[in-house]
Amino acid sequence: MAFQTTSPVLSLRALNRATLDRQLLLRRSALSAEDAVAHLVGLQAQNTKPPYYALAARLDGFRPEDLATLMESRAVARLVTMRSTIHTHTAEDCLTLRPLMQAGGPDRELKMFLKRLDGVDLDRLAALSRALVEERPRPVKELRLFLLQEWPDADPLALTVAARCLLPLVQVTPRGVWGRSGQVALTTAEQWLGRPVAVPAPSPDATVLRYLAAFGPASVKDMQTWSGLTRLRDAFERLRPRLLVFRDENGVELFDLPDAPRPDEDTPAPPRLLAEFDNLLLSHADRSRVVPAVFKDRTWKGNQAYCTFLVDGFLAGIWRLEETREESVLTLQPFDKLGRAHRDELVEEAERTLAVLGTAPVRTVRFGTVAG
């Protein structure tokens, strides 16, 4: 469908500022950790620390114990949802988003492994896996060994990937709890949270509105990129009477909630330190609202993803936190030279981040070489 030529145009910087506001990154929010996880429709959690880093950048007064307590009380949990990647979600979203996202991630991932599952009855695999992990949480290796007893000639990795794709499997605590360690052990969301998942999967319409509240203004393709789902145009069209419509500088149609904040493009955007794979950087088809084209391939190397930082609202470098018993060192590596004012603001933000996330008595912020 062609965009409406009468729709107002949002400049790149206006789009940037609106997105940062929705992401709680223009100013730290007073939301609780649980409410922030809900508002952001989950936090990337491929590793255990990124959800804590994400909230440290966004919430006023956040402490890692805030999220850790939610993990231990089962108010939030870790499971595969959008794009078949692990996210930390509220209990409610674990039970409703996973069914909605099934076709956008788990089903597509499963198709990649079907050739390695020749002769495997997937319905039986799902039933057997459910019985095993609901008896007690099972480490992945243990689940795999059980499944190999049933299908000894099957690919071992494909068996456990299939179980993860077919069932809403939660990574149980202590995995994901700040300051604690533990191997991945799995049970179903129903068993862990004591409630059934939504059947049938809910309509995408409500999630469209939530996506716009957290990531808008946005196009249909933007939401499809975030969710992994396709054919969302119908949902946006059903909602069109309730939405505002804009265009970006390239003429792409953008939808938004009428009462959502859209700050002036000159609104100051303080530096922010983000986790690796932060959803701010992954949730739009066109990432130029945050990622300058010259830096678009600089946030990872091979399989290694980097923590990143923003300056003036845009991706500007990477950072890392290294810790010993004596010292926590946060190193900033900009992609280009920074002016004195931006450097000073960035150091102040890094010191604040280190005060929240550092565990050693001595805490140091330093600049590394310009990241290549």
Side-chain angles (χ1 to χ4, degrees):
M1 178 176 293
F3 62 80
Q4 299 174 9
T5 56
T6 57
S7 301
V9 174
L10 290 175
S11 70
L12 179 64
R13 288 184 64 85
L15 197 53
N16 171 272
R17 293 320 195 243
T19 307
L20 293 179
D21 205 339
R22 314 297 171 83
Q23 282 285 299
L24 314 179
L25 290 168
L26 272 189
R27 64 197 67 80
R28 280 185 167 81
S29 171
L31 287 175
S32 69
E34 185 173 4
D35 287 344
V37 173
H39 168 74
L40 296 166
V41 205
L43 304 172
Q44 267 279 353
Q46 290 293 93
N47 296 314
T48 57
K49 290 184 178 179
Y52 296 89
Y53 291 3
L55 294 182
R58 290 168 165 88
L59 300 186
D60 186 30
F62 173 75
R63 292 293 179 266
E65 296 79 14
D66 300 339
L67 182 58
T69 298
L70 295 173
M71 293 288 301
E72 292 180 309
S73 68
R74 309 188 188 187
V76 303
R78 297 162 51 85
L79 83 166
V80 169
T81 52
M82 286 83 73
R83 307 180 300 278
S84 204
T85 55
I86 300 168
H87 282 71
T88 294
H89 286 292
T90 64
E92 181 66 24
D93 279 348
C94 288
L95 300 167
T96 57
L97 272 178
R98 169 55 193 255
L100 178 61
M101 300 300 166
Q102 183 71 29
D107 284 352
R108 293 197 330 205
E109 184 180 14
L110 180 59
K111 288 180 181 178
M112 297 169 57
F113 285 85
L114 287 179
K115 290 183 179 179
R116 297 157 65 177
L117 292 166
D118 188 41
V120 175
D121 183 330
L122 295 181
D123 289 337
R124 177 160 173 73
L125 185 149
L128 181 58
S129 299
R130 179 181 291 277
L132 289 169
V133 300
E134 289 188 346
E135 181 181 37
R136 62 177 173 82
R138 305 277 183 172
V140 176
K141 183 178 180 180
E142 187 175 323
L143 175 60
R144 181 178 298 139
L145 291 174
F146 272 109
L147 296 175
L148 281 170
Q149 292 177 21
E150 186 75 13
W151 296 284
D153 297 327
D155 180 277
L157 174 62
L159 289 173
T160 50
V161 168
R164 189 187 76 164
C165 292
L166 294 167
L167 299 174
L169 296 181
V170 168
Q171 295 187 0
V172 306
T173 55
R175 182 75 174 176
V177 176
W178 184 264
R180 299 179 63 186
S181 61
Q183 64 181 326
V184 174
L186 304 171
T187 190
T188 62
E190 299 100 319
Q191 182 75 6
W192 188 244
L193 302 172
R195 289 180 284 158
V197 297
V199 178
S203 162
D205 294 25
T207 305
V208 169
L209 299 177
R210 291 184 64 194
Y211 171 76
L212 293 176
F215 296 97
S219 68
V220 176
K221 285 187 177 180
D222 286 333
M223 183 173 175
Q224 290 180 166
T225 296
W226 168 77
S227 65
L229 297 170
T230 59
R231 302 178 181 178
L232 288 177
R233 169 63 67 177
D234 287 349
F236 278 82
E237 292 302 327
R238 286 193 297 271
L239 293 166
R240 184 183 287 270
R242 299 169 55 184
L243 301 174
L244 297 181
V245 181
F246 299 92
R247 288 182 291 130
D248 67 14
E249 292 176 339
N250 296 315
V252 175
E253 189 176 54
L254 304 174
F255 295 87
D256 206 7
L257 306 176
D259 57 352
R262 286 175 292 277
D264 186 85
E265 65 176 27
D266 295 325
T267 301
R272 290 290 185 259
L273 275 62
L274 305 178
E276 66 262 35
F277 295 126
D278 194 287
N279 273 336
L280 173 72
L281 306 180
L282 299 177
S283 300
H284 300 90
D286 180 359
R287 300 176 183 177
S288 64
R289 68 176 67 199
V290 178
V291 181
V294 68
F295 299 151
K296 68 177 183 178
D297 296 324
R298 304 279 288 275
T299 60
W300 67 86
K301 185 176 182 179
N303 292 327
Q304 174 66 47
Y306 301 118
C307 295
T308 62
F309 62 79
L310 308 178
V311 171
D312 189 30
F314 291 89
L315 176 69
I318 60 178
W319 65 279
R320 66 181 184 273
L321 177 58
E322 299 169 301
E323 298 195 273
T324 65
R325 290 185 178 181
E326 294 78 25
E327 187 177 18
S328 298
V329 179
L330 195 159
T331 302
L332 300 160
Q333 290 184 266
F335 292 145
D336 205 347
K337 292 183 179 180
L338 299 175
R340 175 60 62 86
H342 282 151
R343 284 175 66 94
D344 290 347
E345 291 175 349
L346 185 58
V347 168
E348 182 179 353
E349 177 65 14
E351 289 175 342
R352 179 170 182 168
T353 300
L354 193 53
V356 175
L357 301 176
T359 60
V362 177
R363 300 173 183 181
T364 304
V365 174
R366 69 185 184 192
F367 278 93
T369 57
V370 172

